[in-house]
Amino acid sequence: MDVPSIDPRTGATVEIVTTETTTAQVDEHCRAALAAAGPLDALGREGRATLLDALAEALEAHRDPIVAVADRETALGNPRLTGELTRTAYQLRLFAEVLRDGGYLEATIDHAGDTPMGPRPDLRRMLVPLGPVAVFGASNFPLAFSVPGGDSASALAAGCPVVVKAHGSHPATSQLCFDVLDAAARKAGAPDGTLAIVHGVRAGADLVAHPAVRAVGFTGSTAGARALLAVIEGRPDPIPFHGELSSLNPVVVTPLAAADRADRIGADLAGSFTLGAGQFCTKPGLAFVPAGPDGDTLVAAVRAAVAGMTPAVMLNAGIAASYERGTARLAAATGQSVGEIAGETAIGTGLPLLLTTTAADLPPEATDECFGPVAVIARYADDRELFDALDRLPGSLTATVHRGPGETDLPGRLTRRLLPRAGRIVFDGYPTGVAVAWAQHHGGPWPATNTQHTSVGTTAIRRFLRPVAWQNAPSDLLPAELRNGYRRISRRVDGVLHPAGT
Amino acid sequence: MDVPSIDPRTGATVEIVTTETTTAQVDEHCRAALAAAGPLDALGREGRATLLDALAEALEAHRDPIVAVADRETALGNPRLTGELTRTAYQLRLFAEVLRDGGYLEATIDHAGDTPMGPRPDLRRMLVPLGPVAVFGASNFPLAFSVPGGDSASALAAGCPVVVKAHGSHPATSQLCFDVLDAAARKAGAPDGTLAIVHGVRAGADLVAHPAVRAVGFTGSTAGARALLAVIEGRPDPIPFHGELSSLNPVVVTPLAAADRADRIGADLAGSFTLGAGQFCTKPGLAFVPAGPDGDTLVAAVRAAVAGMTPAVMLNAGIAASYERGTARLAAATGQSVGEIAGETAIGTGLPLLLTTTAADLPPEATDECFGPVAVIARYADDRELFDALDRLPGSLTATVHRGPGETDLPGRLTRRLLPRAGRIVFDGYPTGVAVAWAQHHGGPWPATNTQHTSVGTTAIRRFLRPVAWQNAPSDLLPAELRNGYRRISRRVDGVLHPAGT
């Protein structure tokens, strides 16, 4: 079956990129990936760091054609896509830095000795690559969470060959990025089979079922994740599935924050939930704003900002249709007429929308993610109404608190209540914009993710590694990092942390 | 329904310990655990370290009655159970040390700054407790992997209240340990609800389904794990399940090792696979021994050692019956008569058994775990036969290589082949005996475990933690460990590791 590239601005098919990958082809890619696993690991940390740097450079060298095709397929616009390519190259280079640092190996040495339990053998532990990894490209990040994205970067850094399932929403971008990366990887000495790409829904399922595949990185819908999890449960050997699925990203504005800067919060909140046509995992979908005049001012500021916006082209027709259904459902649940507030929407476009309700009568629909430029503001009369409503929230990637100048009491209580429900707590800011950094975490209780690990930042590598312990191993058979006298990475020796170089 | 305590030496019911926990009682325990989560976390690292030390002390203070009831329920014998209690207290104290060290928090700080992607906010990350944890006691470790075992110790260290599902094979031991720990915990200032115990199969399923429970630690059969995983998949919010399930633990003896010390390896191997009536997750179930005279000597040494052994009492009637079926199946698959080799076995007892086959004709049955004092020796004619057979092995907790003096070539190739299939590589030793240490790893590819984490050693705590990032948080609202100037734990600041005190 053909794989078309569709322009979401017109709905027209621009080109046929390729044909869907057959089961036999998926098998071939996975076998090649398995064969590449040993040699890729054997490149060592410095070899893979060099490889990642080469991939970053190749992406930047092909910036113009990549951004052009990505814009044509996603309508995200050149500035956003240029920034996304920069971020994508940055995270490849950051993982090169992670490799050179070596701390991610968690190298640990316990020399043989006596314990209250009796003699202990010599034990040495570090993390090793899992093997070939399946990476599912995301609709909303054609670069940073797709073929050359964070999952691929962290898996390759870990030493795992990567087979990417291209997202059907941007197959030409995926194929071009793959071609650029594959050529650069070969030039940098990566073994055959280090990278592969497959197209089509069935190819994705075949990939997850393939015995050579040892882990899955997925960014997409809860329904898609449930379907792939069913495939995994059917495997003789279920494998780790790291899914980033759905997130409401609640925002709480305290009365003192509203009193201090209602206008600014309103305008910035509108900017955050409409950014990228609201198609971010971190879009704030629900904001709690105090009842009363300051809150009224804030809501009016959001309304004013939204009223000035034009409908945005959404990533694809499916997402646009889903946005129409989702906003109609939300409007009905909050007792508002979507026609009245939204006017007519063109096919494939999403009109930015603000809906309002109260914390006391918060409808369950308002606690589900609705992908697109819509947010619900729930007004609360007092702390009790606010905290009761917070108890009904699902797990999210983020939770945000806007506080008054120097305010700590209510923000402290809010933090404690939000912490079990979120992976990142943002103060006096907005959850959109996920910095790629050592201290970043992008994950959270289900449905935000189904994993205790992150998909952004340096520790994303941990998803594709597993520990191995060597017992009484001769030095020659140990990885270099676990031999006596190795000083280039931090290690814990007999319970004590030794930084690199000591 | 009554919960009986059965003496496996006689098959007689000695006492009725309690009644099975009802769904309503499970709910009550889980709600109490949820209420305890905040206060237990608020005890802080030093508070919980003190708690763990108190639990260790209480166990040792009640050593005699605990060992007596455990021996009556498991027939494991006083020396083994005394050692197991020592190990159990040791691991509680080791987790107190982990808490005081604080490195497990993975505290990471990135100050605000400029990056090639634009300005980065202040980001601070560390691991926080998941919430209440369900722990399933294991049949084969009434102390070290049951009520006061490694799962409970690591979960409490993490700051997670624990609800233990008592194993039906040793309910009186479980209840006594719980009573001792619960009293000690209260005395040490642990909040109400920190510890609870439930009895009965339905109570176990209720526990895993309960919304307050945030993770499961399980040691048991693959079938039991699949059943509980189905309960988890049915939850609106699937939670992490850390299962330690089944392990073959292959052993390879190189020709040079057999030439060097066939007699000793044979005798020690027999000791390892019959230890504790073969009821260890790390029992070596399959050993590859070279064809030829040295291998013959080795096999004769195993036979001689096994011939001198008496039938062992197994943990319970179900395990004894399963051992009878499993050994009959193995004997049939390897073309041997179980009657001929095993003689008559008494109910509830397991006769140590050695079966032999060849690597070239290795039957699939020989690559499944058979719980009990049985091992299969597969003779190999050359490297090709050996390596072909290794490719057919499932994931295991361990893999062992016996090598000749100073031999590295074949052991090196074996290590590379075994590494993707095991979590611990043992050289010139035996996999039984799992040291509790910083560098230990007890886990491996399915069916060994279904997790990338370990259930033994200090990093077992990682199963019950998840990362959280704080963005632009005021210092007052940060955990102490993430504030500027905190020096008591190691932290990564702006990408550079700073050991404690620096």
Side-chain angles (χ1 to χ4, degrees):
Chain A
M1 196 138 65
D2 286 345
V3 176
S5 173
I6 294 165
D7 183 337
R9 291 185 178 94
T10 63
T13 296
V14 178
E15 61 169 320
I16 300 301
V17 178
T18 182
T19 53
E20 291 191 355
T21 313
T22 65
T23 300
Q25 289 166 333
V26 171
D27 179 58
E28 203 177 306
H29 289 314
C30 292
R31 285 169 187 270
L34 188 60
L40 185 62
D41 187 21
L43 280 184
R45 293 182 295 113
E46 183 52 42
R48 291 201 301 283
T50 305
L51 168 62
L52 292 172
D53 285 340
L55 299 183
E57 201 177 323
L59 279 182
E60 285 175 339
H62 296 79
R63 180 186 291 272
D64 291 346
I66 290 172
V67 166
V69 69
D71 180 51
R72 196 201 71 205
E73 279 191 314
T74 65
L76 287 170
N78 279 21
R80 148 77 193 268
L81 290 164
T82 298
E84 197 179 317
L85 191 138
T86 299
R87 171 187 165 152
T88 306
Y90 179 81
Q91 66 196 5
L92 284 159
R93 292 198 176 100
L94 181 59
F95 279 109
E97 200 182 318
V98 168
L99 285 170
R100 290 180 175 120
D101 174 89
Y104 78 98
L105 291 173
E106 299 180 5
T108 308
I109 296 175
D110 291 324
H111 291 101
D114 284 321
T115 76
M117 295 184 301
R120 181 182 67 198
D122 183 279
L123 281 169
R124 299 176 189 233
R125 171 194 191 268
M126 69 175 219
L127 303 186
V128 303
L130 276 181
V133 165
V135 167
F136 281 69
S139 63
N140 56 344
F141 280 90
L143 307 175
F145 277 92
S146 288
V147 174
D151 285 349
S152 300
S154 54
L156 290 172
C160 298
V162 171
V163 185
V164 183
K165 153 72 172 65
H167 198 281
S169 199
H170 50 261
T173 310
S174 298
Q175 190 66 46
L176 175 57
C177 287
F178 172 76
D179 292 341
V180 166
L181 294 180
D182 190 47
R186 287 172 193 278
K187 210 171 141 194
D192 280 356
T194 297
L195 283 167
I197 186 169
V198 304
H199 294 267
V201 171
R202 200 184 64 184
D206 288 342
L207 188 55
V208 169
H210 199 283
V213 170
R214 306 315 306 160
V216 180
F218 174 87
T219 303
S221 69
T222 310
R226 289 264 190 194
L228 291 176
L229 280 166
V231 173
I232 284 179
E233 287 304 314
R235 286 177 64 116
D237 57 338
I239 53 175
F241 179 91
H242 299 291
E244 203 260 79
L245 310 176
S246 169
S247 191
L248 181 65
N249 305 302
V251 172
V252 180
V253 181
T254 70
L256 290 177
D260 181 55
R261 54 187 191 281
D263 273 326
R264 209 174 90 209
I265 294 174
D268 290 348
L269 180 63
S272 179
F273 80 78
T274 61
L275 191 69
Q279 299 164 128
F280 285 99
C281 350
T282 50
K283 179 205 78 172
L286 178 62
F288 294 94
V289 170
D294 295 328
D296 293 346
T297 304
L298 195 158
V299 173
V302 181
R303 276 203 200 292
V306 167
M309 294 176 182
T310 49
V313 177
M314 302 206 53
L315 286 162
N316 61 49
I319 288 174
S322 164
Y323 180 66
E324 263 189 72
R325 283 195 307 275
T327 48
R329 188 158 165 268
L330 264 179
T334 55
Q336 285 153 90
S337 151
V338 81
E340 193 185 302
I341 47 179
E344 296 303 313
T345 57
I347 289 170
T349 65
L351 187 68
L353 274 184
L354 177 72
L355 298 166
T356 53
T357 183
T358 65
D361 296 314
L362 191 68
E365 290 81 354
T367 64
D368 283 343
E369 182 191 43
C370 178
F371 200 65
V374 59
V376 175
I377 287 184
R379 307 294 295 273
Y380 63 91
D382 52 32
D383 284 9
R384 196 183 51 76
E385 273 189 22
L386 174 59
F387 280 82
D388 284 352
L390 296 183
D391 280 344
R392 301 205 287 277
L393 299 186
S396 276
L397 294 167
T398 72
T400 298
V401 177
H402 283 272
R403 59 193 192 103
E407 184 188 14
T408 55
D409 172 51
L410 178 56
R413 287 185 288 126
L414 285 168
T415 302
R416 284 190 291 280
R417 192 69 70 112
L418 291 167
L419 200 61
R421 292 191 162 73
R424 179 165 53 113
I425 310 282
V426 180
F427 293 88
D428 301 323
Y430 300 88
T432 42
V434 182
V436 181
W438 291 87
Q440 187 56 281
H441 176 58
H442 191 65
W446 181 281
T449 56
N450 76 324
T451 171
Q452 287 161 273
H453 298 285
T454 180
S455 64
V456 178
T458 59
T459 53
I461 196 172
R462 187 64 181 78
R463 295 172 299 163
F464 305 121
L465 296 164
R466 67 184 179 93
V468 168
W470 283 257
Q471 180 172 324
N472 288 340
S475 187
D476 287 355
L477 301 188
L478 283 169
E481 289 91 344
L482 290 181
R483 294 184 193 165
N484 290 342
Y486 191 90
R487 302 268 181 271
R488 285 187 232 161
I489 67 170
S490 67
R491 309 193 295 182
R492 186 177 285 272
V493 181
D494 295 324
V496 178
L497 195 68
H498 292 246
T502 63
Chain B
M1 195 137 65
D2 285 345
V3 176
S5 172
I6 294 166
D7 183 338
R9 292 187 177 94
T10 63
T13 297
V14 177
E15 62 168 321
I16 300 300
V17 177
T18 180
T19 53
E20 290 191 356
T21 313
T22 64
T23 300
Q25 289 165 334
V26 171
D27 180 57
E28 203 177 307
H29 289 316
C30 292
R31 284 168 187 270
L34 188 61
L40 184 62
D41 187 23
L43 280 184
R45 293 183 293 113
E46 183 52 42
R48 290 201 301 282
T50 305
L51 168 63
L52 293 172
D53 285 340
L55 299 182
E57 201 177 322
L59 279 181
E60 286 174 340
H62 295 79
R63 180 186 291 272
D64 291 347
I66 290 173
V67 166
V69 69
D71 180 51
R72 196 201 73 204
E73 278 191 315
T74 66
L76 287 170
N78 278 21
R80 149 75 193 269
L81 290 164
T82 297
E84 197 179 319
L85 191 139
T86 299
R87 170 187 166 153
T88 306
Y90 179 81
Q91 66 196 4
L92 283 159
R93 293 198 175 100
L94 181 59
F95 279 108
E97 201 182 317
V98 169
L99 285 171
R100 291 182 175 117
D101 174 89
Y104 78 98
L105 291 173
E106 300 181 6
T108 308
I109 296 175
D110 291 326
H111 291 102
D114 284 322
T115 75
M117 295 183 302
R120 181 182 67 197
D122 182 278
L123 280 168
R124 298 176 189 232
R125 171 194 192 269
M126 69 176 217
L127 303 187
V128 303
L130 276 182
V133 164
V135 168
F136 281 69
S139 63
N140 57 345
F141 281 89
L143 308 175
F145 277 93
S146 287
V147 174
D151 284 349
S152 300
S154 54
L156 290 172
C160 298
V162 171
V163 184
V164 183
K165 154 69 173 65
H167 198 281
S169 199
H170 49 262
T173 310
S174 299
Q175 190 66 46
L176 175 58
C177 288
F178 172 75
D179 292 342
V180 166
L181 294 180
D182 190 47
R186 287 172 193 277
K187 211 172 139 192
D192 281 356
T194 297
L195 283 167
I197 187 169
V198 303
H199 293 267
V201 171
R202 201 184 64 183
D206 287 343
L207 188 56
V208 169
H210 199 283
V213 170
R214 306 315 307 160
V216 180
F218 175 88
T219 303
S221 70
T222 309
R226 289 265 190 192
L228 291 176
L229 281 166
V231 174
I232 284 178
E233 287 304 313
R235 286 177 63 115
D237 56 337
I239 53 175
F241 179 92
H242 299 291
E244 202 259 79
L245 309 176
S246 168
S247 190
L248 181 65
N249 304 303
V251 171
V252 179
V253 181
T254 71
L256 290 177
D260 181 55
R261 54 185 192 283
D263 274 324
R264 208 173 92 210
I265 294 173
D268 291 348
L269 180 62
S272 179
F273 81 76
T274 60
L275 190 70
Q279 299 165 128
F280 284 99
C281 351
T282 50
K283 180 204 78 172
L286 178 62
F288 293 94
V289 170
D294 294 329
D296 294 345
T297 304
L298 195 157
V299 173
V302 180
R303 276 203 200 292
V306 167
M309 293 177 184
T310 48
V313 178
M314 301 203 56
L315 286 162
N316 61 48
I319 288 174
S322 165
Y323 180 66
E324 263 189 71
R325 284 194 307 274
T327 49
R329 189 158 165 268
L330 263 179
T334 55
Q336 286 153 90
S337 151
V338 81
E340 194 184 304
I341 47 180
E344 296 303 311
T345 57
I347 289 170
T349 66
L351 188 70
L353 274 183
L354 178 72
L355 297 167
T356 54
T357 184
T358 63
D361 295 315
L362 190 69
E365 289 83 353
T367 65
D368 284 342
E369 184 192 42
C370 179
F371 200 64
V374 58
V376 175
I377 287 184
R379 307 293 297 272
Y380 63 90
D382 53 31
D383 284 9
R384 197 185 48 77
E385 272 189 22
L386 174 60
F387 281 82
D388 283 353
L390 296 183
D391 281 344
R392 300 205 289 278
L393 299 186
S396 277
L397 294 167
T398 72
T400 298
V401 177
H402 282 272
R403 59 194 192 102
E407 185 187 13
T408 55
D409 172 49
L410 179 55
R413 286 186 288 125
L414 285 169
T415 302
R416 284 191 291 281
R417 191 69 69 111
L418 290 168
L419 199 62
R421 291 190 162 73
R424 179 165 54 112
I425 311 282
V426 180
F427 293 88
D428 301 324
Y430 300 88
T432 43
V434 182
V436 180
W438 291 87
Q440 188 55 282
H441 176 57
H442 192 65
W446 181 282
T449 56
N450 76 324
T451 171
Q452 288 162 273
H453 298 286
T454 180
S455 64
V456 179
T458 60
T459 54
I461 196 173
R462 187 63 181 79
R463 294 173 300 163
F464 305 121
L465 296 164
R466 67 184 180 93
V468 168
W470 283 255
Q471 180 172 323
N472 288 339
S475 186
D476 287 354
L477 301 187
L478 282 169
E481 289 91 344
L482 290 181
R483 293 183 193 165
N484 289 343
Y486 190 90
R487 301 269 183 269
R488 285 186 232 161
I489 66 171
S490 66
R491 310 193 296 183
R492 186 176 285 272
V493 181
D494 295 325
V496 178
L497 194 68
H498 292 246
T502 63

